[in-house]
Amino acid sequence: MTNTEFNLMPTIIGSMPHRDPAAACRVISRYLTELPAWPQLPRRDWRELMTAQYSEGFPGIDISEERITARRPEGWDNQLIALYGDYIASEPARYAISSKFAAGFHSFLTDHPAASRGVKGQVVGPVTWGLSVKDELDTPAVYDEVLAEASAKLLCLKTIWQEALLKEISPRTVIFIDEPALSSFGSAYLPLSKEIVQALLTELLGSIKGVKGIHCCGNTDWTLLTETSVDVISFDAYNYAASLALYPEEICRFILRGGGIAWGIAPNTDKGIQEETSSSLKDRLEEAMAPFTRQGLEFRQILRHSIITPSCGMAYMSEEGTERLLELMVELTYKMRERYL
């Protein structure tokens, strides 16, 4: 397993409320000096919503603000063959994320802090992407075996392309796979088997050379993730701390073998962040970690393998609220390190 000793470094999940990518990058540079991440800016343009942002280059894809459709026009088979060929050859150039779809990423490449301790990126997960993209019969792509496998390969190529550029900023890369749809696992909304979900995740995880993370902002069966090759599990610890605590033995084994946890302990709403202080968040974080110490895991070991994040994306906060959230995370990291590390 890749080194996950982050010692409570703060970072973000991805999205920010800014419309100006340079302004978003300046905020990141001000607060996230240890593990900066590039910002997704969906309020700047709908193309920066997570599904659209990673859809360029998929065979037959029709991308609009209203919906994203995977069509099969004449010559579609040849496009599919080309995708598989590029995947086998690990040639991601044709699947680059353009500045129209990721202005925050392209701005970050030239306007970022000196990230010697690491740099973070993100990619939408194959389950979430496949539920959002429909075929011409309005069936989610994840339920079509051909489309699901092709989408996993597309996302692999986009991840390879992204990580190569991030490595020019720092040799230590962290890539989170964003899978909010996993909160519906086991329900009628997501009637996929555990084996299929894990197979899709495993393929995408295999394309990441650095630290591999998976983010799910709701409750889920966390063994979906602990049984894969993931290095870091990222979750909403502010609202769903109890959900992870339902799996104390599995999470302890995960950490003991070198796994890390990204604790989404800072609320991603203006109201929530106004009601909290770094001290109150410290209390919440200690409470969220406590169940795992009862299983014999040392508290300092948990901290060494921990990252601090917002509970989820910050796209729908105010810019002022976002800065306050980042400030509180930095203060929280300082308090925890001063007390325990």
Side-chain angles (χ1 to χ4, degrees):
M1 185 172 280
T2 307
N3 177 18
T4 61
E5 288 200 15
F6 289 96
N7 295 296
L8 299 163
M9 289 184 194
T11 193
I12 60 173
I13 299 304
S15 65
M16 295 181 70
H18 302 71
R19 291 175 170 83
D20 178 355
C25 289
R26 284 195 296 270
V27 171
I28 289 168
S29 296
R30 186 177 308 132
Y31 294 100
L32 304 181
T33 57
E34 294 183 289
L35 188 60
W38 64 269
Q40 296 164 290
L41 308 174
R43 291 172 71 175
R44 182 196 74 87
D45 194 302
W46 60 268
R47 294 171 183 85
E48 297 214 27
L49 291 165
M50 67 165 62
T51 302
Q53 190 165 64
Y54 298 97
S55 294
E56 292 176 286
F58 190 76
I61 202 72
D62 182 3
I63 305 172
S64 72
E65 188 169 1
E66 289 72 34
R67 59 177 287 151
I68 303 173
T69 306
R71 304 187 186 279
R72 288 181 169 90
E74 184 177 351
W76 184 82
D77 289 345
N78 292 331
Q79 294 180 44
L80 187 65
I81 291 170
L83 172 66
Y84 272 70
D86 289 333
Y87 171 79
I88 292 169
S90 192
E91 292 287 350
R94 289 200 291 179
Y95 309 94
I97 308 170
S98 70
S99 58
K100 184 182 295 185
F101 283 75
F105 178 73
H106 287 272
S107 181
F108 182 78
L109 293 177
T110 56
D111 185 12
H112 56 79
S116 59
R117 302 186 69 178
V119 63
K120 178 187 171 291
Q122 51 275 338
V123 62
V124 68
V127 178
T128 297
W129 191 94
L131 280 174
S132 301
V133 176
K134 309 291 182 64
D135 68 11
E136 292 166 303
L137 299 177
D138 207 38
T139 302
V142 75
Y143 301 127
D144 182 299
E145 185 176 352
V146 173
L147 293 179
E149 290 185 3
S151 69
K153 289 169 172 55
L154 173 84
L155 296 173
C156 284
L157 288 163
K158 289 186 177 295
T159 300
I160 292 167
W161 173 83
Q162 174 189 163
E163 190 173 27
L165 291 172
L166 292 178
K167 276 194 175 296
E168 296 178 7
I169 298 173
S170 171
R172 189 187 196 189
T173 54
V174 180
I175 305 292
F176 277 13
I177 299 170
D178 291 334
E179 280 286 21
L182 293 186
S183 61
S184 298
F185 177 74
S187 71
Y189 182 69
L190 185 59
L192 288 176
S193 69
K194 188 174 187 177
E195 292 73 20
I196 290 175
V197 170
Q198 289 180 327
L200 291 170
L201 292 173
T202 295
E203 182 158 17
L204 186 48
L205 287 166
S207 70
I208 302 170
K209 293 182 179 180
V211 177
K212 318 167 194 288
I214 299 179
H215 172 73
C216 178
C217 50
N219 190 10
T220 193
D221 176 354
W222 295 106
T223 64
L224 272 175
L225 309 188
T226 60
E227 294 172 2
T228 69
S229 62
V230 71
D231 299 315
V232 176
I233 292 173
S234 170
F235 83 115
D236 177 351
Y238 188 82
N239 296 298
Y240 295 100
S243 73
L244 199 70
L246 293 174
Y247 299 84
E249 294 180 4
E250 292 85 352
I251 296 300
C252 284
R253 284 197 297 269
F254 176 71
I255 295 174
L256 284 170
R257 71 171 189 260
I261 305 293
W263 304 87
I265 200 64
N268 66 337
T269 65
D270 284 352
K271 182 177 184 296
I273 211 66
Q274 289 168 4
E275 295 173 349
E276 300 291 350
T277 65
S278 57
S279 294
S280 66
L281 293 181
K282 177 176 175 290
D283 292 343
R284 277 181 172 268
L285 183 57
E286 290 170 341
E287 184 178 351
M289 293 176 171
F292 307 107
T293 64
R294 299 185 194 114
Q295 296 291 315
L297 200 61
E298 292 184 6
F299 191 62
R300 284 186 176 84
Q301 185 170 11
I302 300 174
L303 299 181
R304 287 196 299 270
H305 293 271
S306 290
I307 296 171
I308 300 297
T309 74
S311 56
C312 199
M314 302 181 292
Y316 300 104
M317 296 182 69
S318 67
E319 293 185 16
E320 295 76 15
T322 295
E323 290 207 44
R324 177 57 181 155
L325 186 156
L326 296 177
E327 183 179 42
L328 284 183
M329 288 201 309
V330 171
E331 290 176 5
L332 173 61
T333 292
Y334 177 80
K335 282 180 181 292
M336 294 292 286
R337 285 176 175 171
E338 185 179 45
R339 173 68 177 83
Y340 297 109
L341 300 174

